[in-house]
Amino acid sequence: GLRSLPRRQITMTMAGVMLALFLSSLDQTIVTTAMPRIVADLGGFEHYTWLTTAYMIAATVVLPITGRLTDIYGRKPFYIGGIVIFIMGSAFAGLSQSMIQIIISRGIQGIGAGVMMANAFIVIGDLFPPAERGKYQGMISGVFGISSVIGPPLGGFLTDALSWHWVFYINIPLGVATVVLFSIFFPNFRPDNGKYNVDYAGVTALVVALIPLLIGLSWGGVEYPWNSIPVIGMFVLSAVALIVFLVIEKRSQAPVIPLWIFKNQIVSLSLITTFLSGFAMFGGIVFLPLFFQGVLGLTATATGNYLTPMMLGMVFGSAVSGIALTRAGGHYKVQGAIGLAFIALGLILLTTMNIGTSPVRALAYMVLVGLGLGVSMPIYTIAVQNTVAYDVLGVATSTVPFFRSLGGSFGL
């Protein structure tokens, strides 16, 4: 059984999970403060969003695939593999001499990070019964938050004190420590439901549906006009692949994403909401450092310090939200609505900023967004986990961060 693990092993496993998640989420935020500097150094401003998008695309594509594979083959080998890939990507990124190299390295990092993130959420479902999950998902969202709080100032400090290369090198020792923890303590879960084949056709179709879509979105209006052949071509390719994907999944014995989980209203509503809040979140977070450095003329370090309160709002929001769900017995609707209202209000206020806006005012608006994100984030993961059967727990759970990243890529 899952619950019969010794207390110490559960504790060390959770420590490993949190360290891995810390690494993969730290990397989304530590880089934001360094981005204006990387672009200044390597040139290629038109590729600015690619520093984030490459990471997100890779992580996004890998999420549902990992969820499915770990349901079949067990969680442990994937987890360790993901961390190793992540460390390699970090080393390459730090050594990059051109914008293209660093974007490819970010893609490699993203693959590793996607594997790590998918597993972090799933493991909670493995280790704890439904009633306790709220608390631990809250802790996981808290780690997301803490890494987001440390990320921007740490990125700014490393960039100003050493060089932007160190933003990537710092992952290497942390990653190695995580691999050691996992190798020793991580139990090898695998839902025991017979031998399945992996749906490689489905995986391929999913990748072909996503990557051209995200490339088309990134090219449009920057490298090519929206109505140009390359951009429209990418969208058409993506649409065709999506249709193929849906057909394959309907027929597949072991689909990557079992489509019937969307028939569940809680699941589909949770995913739509997650997509929209991801859209809002990344659209805001990635361009704020550019506003602080490019419009208000602050240093990387100062920018990092200004982003901190927003992230603290996020941590606070998710901690309160996780505890409230566990204590109050799951008022998903009310908490979700409150969180989304905060996000909307904060974003409306952010649109009013211009060159005369004081950093403190920008900060207050950002804190609202942060609080809202924190409150709404853990809710949807738990709602999904508590409504699906155990043998699809992995794949169902990983659709939540998958839709968030997808929304984020669209938003950017």
Side-chain angles (χ1 to χ4, degrees):
L2 297 175
R3 320 276 172 258
S4 54
L5 293 171
R7 192 90 202 121
R8 176 160 174 267
Q9 192 180 5
I10 290 189
T11 311
M12 294 308 279
T13 298
M14 278 303 288
V17 168
M18 291 187 150
L19 192 55
L21 191 67
F22 177 73
L23 269 180
S24 56
S25 54
L26 180 71
D27 224 71
Q28 284 181 348
T29 55
I30 194 170
V31 178
T32 46
T33 347
M35 270 164 64
R37 187 69 55 88
I38 294 171
V39 174
D41 201 12
L42 299 178
F45 181 75
E46 66 278 13
H47 305 308
Y48 181 79
T49 52
W50 274 103
L51 283 169
T52 309
T53 313
Y55 187 79
M56 303 243 318
I57 290 178
T60 306
V61 170
V62 171
L63 277 166
I65 298 170
T66 305
R68 185 69 200 137
L69 290 174
T70 65
D71 279 345
I72 301 172
Y73 295 113
R75 321 276 191 223
K76 186 170 185 169
F78 283 93
Y79 226 147
I80 293 174
I83 301 167
V84 171
I85 293 171
F86 181 77
I87 296 172
M88 281 164 47
S90 301
F92 292 145
L95 296 166
S96 295
Q97 300 295 313
S98 74
M99 207 62 173
I100 298 300
Q101 284 174 349
I102 200 168
I103 288 167
I104 292 169
S105 309
R106 292 285 287 156
I108 297 171
Q109 275 188 307
I111 292 173
V115 174
M116 283 151 55
M117 279 189 244
N119 272 308
F121 291 103
I122 297 165
V123 169
I124 301 288
D126 288 330
L127 287 173
F128 307 105
E132 286 179 40
R133 284 177 195 159
K135 198 164 52 183
Y136 292 100
Q137 287 290 9
M139 274 167 73
I140 278 205
S141 297
V143 172
F144 255 117
I146 291 166
S147 68
S148 323
V149 171
I150 297 171
L154 181 61
F157 168 73
L158 290 171
T159 304
D160 286 344
L162 298 161
S163 73
W164 60 261
H165 302 272
W166 283 93
V167 167
F168 299 108
Y169 292 147
I170 195 170
N171 291 328
I172 300 170
L174 289 170
V176 172
T178 315
V179 170
V180 173
L181 262 181
F182 268 98
S183 307
I184 302 172
F185 293 104
F186 198 83
N188 201 6
F189 294 119
R190 50 195 290 186
D192 188 26
N193 46 14
K195 267 279 177 238
Y196 276 133
N197 297 326
V198 180
D199 173 17
Y200 290 110
V203 169
T204 311
L206 182 63
V207 172
V208 177
L210 287 174
I211 292 181
L213 172 66
L214 298 171
I215 290 176
L217 286 169
S218 297
W219 274 354
V222 182
E223 276 148 71
Y224 302 98
W226 283 105
N227 58 359
S228 64
I229 302 284
V231 175
I232 294 171
M234 285 292 171
F235 291 150
V236 170
L237 177 59
S238 168
V240 172
L242 180 64
I243 294 164
V244 172
F245 174 70
L246 295 174
V247 171
I248 294 171
E249 295 302 271
K250 267 198 146 59
R251 298 183 180 171
S252 169
Q253 292 300 301
V256 195
I257 303 178
L259 299 179
W260 49 264
I261 63 175
F262 298 109
K263 287 195 184 125
N264 179 319
Q265 198 188 359
I266 297 177
V267 174
S268 48
L269 276 174
S270 297
L271 293 177
I272 292 167
T273 315
T274 303
F275 176 86
L276 293 171
S277 61
F279 196 112
M281 166 178 164
F282 286 100
I285 290 175
V286 174
F287 288 103
L288 282 166
L290 198 56
F291 177 77
F292 279 128
Q293 290 175 41
V295 180
L296 303 183
L298 301 175
T299 62
T301 309
T303 302
N305 297 338
Y306 273 113
L307 289 178
T308 303
M310 168 180 176
M311 301 304 185
L312 281 171
M314 217 154 125
V315 183
F316 179 73
S318 64
V320 169
S321 188
I323 293 164
L325 273 183
T326 309
R327 294 273 165 82
H331 290 289
Y332 298 115
K333 250 187 192 159
V334 184
Q335 277 180 238
I338 293 171
L340 297 167
F342 272 119
I343 297 176
L345 180 63
L347 286 169
I348 291 167
L349 292 169
L350 282 171
T351 61
T352 64
M353 299 196 303
N354 57 33
I355 197 158
T357 305
S358 72
V360 177
R361 175 174 294 195
L363 190 74
Y365 299 163
M366 281 156 46
V367 169
L368 274 177
V369 176
L371 272 171
L373 285 168
V375 169
S376 56
M377 261 172 146
I379 292 178
Y380 302 108
T381 308
I382 298 164
V384 169
Q385 274 190 341
N386 292 355
T387 187
V388 298
Y390 183 66
D391 59 340
V392 289
L393 182 78
V395 65
T397 304
S398 58
T399 53
V400 179
F402 170 65
F403 272 78
R404 185 178 301 132
S405 293
L406 206 58
S409 308
F410 269 80
L412 284 171

